[in-house]
Amino acid sequence: MKKEYQKVVLDGANIIHDDTGVEKYDDEGNRIIQILPERLEAAITHCEDLGWPTIACLKKGTYMWAAANPKSPNVGDISIIDGLISEGKVELIHRKKEDIYWIDYALKENAWIVTHDGFKDVKKPDGTTKKGERTLYPDRDWEDIEQRTLREHTFVNDKFILPGLPKKKASKQKSDEFVTQNQFNQLEQQLKVLQKMVRNMAHSEVKK
């Protein structure tokens, strides 16, 4: 039985570089890395529409490069990231190997993880091995991490698709236990009226 998670943590690098359907190649046929803030925004919106508080973690270096090259044909609308940062929906991580930071954050926040990363060692073309988080941080509960990780996200006609993420269950608390802003404002006005009545009664007693 899976846990009832509270929010969603997105691997921002995975999503902001996801150019599915809009790939670009250089003259030698090599794929050009793009930075697409629109896609990060679409992913956050999708998760929020399903009821999940959502935060995307992004390496600060990626953001800084994009901010310094806003006119690059391979960089989308950087103002989108600025807006998401100001809204608290994107968190910049000031580390080169940022993955373990948002993994730990997801564990602390009891959150789903959305990434394509397998956290495993990867063989490079030159024969060397890039160590994955499982090797670098064996003390983490990797069984738990796997249970909360969703890897099947993709883009179809610029629409973010994540079949494994369910709609968030509504709170079990009764609706009458909550006070809306309008109800709060009404109660505040009623309190002011009562306070004024008490003051008037006090003044009347003093005059007698």
Side-chain angles (χ1 to χ4, degrees):
M1 180 178 176
K2 288 193 173 183
K3 296 180 181 179
E4 290 190 8
Y5 301 114
Q6 300 302 313
K7 62 174 60 176
V8 172
V9 173
L10 302 174
D11 178 352
N14 259 192
I15 297 168
I16 206 166
H17 291 306
D18 191 331
D19 59 354
T20 303
V22 292
E23 301 91 340
K24 292 182 179 180
Y25 299 89
D26 62 22
D27 294 338
E28 297 179 355
N30 299 309
R31 197 164 183 170
I32 297 173
I33 296 176
Q34 299 183 68
I35 297 178
L36 306 171
E38 299 84 354
R39 295 206 156 180
L40 190 57
E41 182 180 43
I44 292 171
T45 299
H46 173 83
C47 298
E48 289 181 333
D49 285 347
L50 290 174
W52 297 98
T54 304
I55 186 167
C57 296
L58 184 66
K59 188 188 298 183
K60 184 180 180 182
T62 300
Y63 167 76
M64 294 300 291
W65 190 93
N69 297 275
K71 295 183 179 180
S72 169
N74 304 317
V75 175
D77 186 355
I78 192 65
S79 69
I80 291 175
I81 302 181
D82 293 330
L84 293 172
I85 291 173
S86 67
E87 293 171 9
K89 297 179 182 181
V90 168
E91 185 70 28
L92 299 180
I93 298 179
H94 303 229
R95 295 289 185 274
K96 289 184 178 180
K97 294 184 178 296
E98 83 280 14
D99 289 3
I100 194 60
Y101 293 94
W102 53 257
I103 291 171
D104 282 348
Y105 176 75
L107 292 173
K108 289 180 182 294
E109 293 292 307
N110 190 28
W112 291 102
I113 291 173
V114 178
T115 182
H116 282 152
D117 200 326
F119 311 126
K120 298 178 180 179
D121 294 350
V122 177
K123 287 283 188 182
K124 294 182 178 181
D126 61 6
T128 59
T129 300
K130 177 184 177 183
K131 291 183 178 180
E133 282 68 32
R134 285 176 174 270
T135 298
L136 295 171
Y137 307 96
D139 59 321
R140 303 304 194 273
D141 186 346
W142 289 102
E143 182 177 349
D144 180 13
I145 292 169
E146 281 300 310
Q147 287 182 345
R148 68 178 68 229
T149 299
L150 304 174
R151 294 190 175 89
E152 71 275 28
H153 65 277
T154 190
F155 284 88
V156 178
N157 290 331
D158 281 333
K159 303 296 183 183
F160 182 76
I161 306 296
L162 180 57
L165 183 66
K167 187 173 182 179
K168 194 175 189 302
K169 294 180 180 179
S171 171
K172 293 181 180 179
Q173 287 182 284
K174 295 179 180 179
S175 60
D176 59 7
E177 294 179 3
F178 295 91
V179 177
T180 66
Q181 185 63 46
N182 186 50
Q183 290 172 326
F184 177 82
N185 292 338
Q186 290 177 353
L187 289 171
E188 188 176 36
Q189 290 300 318
Q190 290 172 3
L191 178 60
K192 289 179 179 178
V193 171
L194 289 172
Q195 288 174 331
K196 185 175 181 180
M197 290 175 61
V198 170
R199 285 196 299 271
N200 290 337
M201 290 174 64
H203 287 313
S204 298
E205 289 295 325
V206 171
K207 292 178 179 180
K208 287 182 178 179

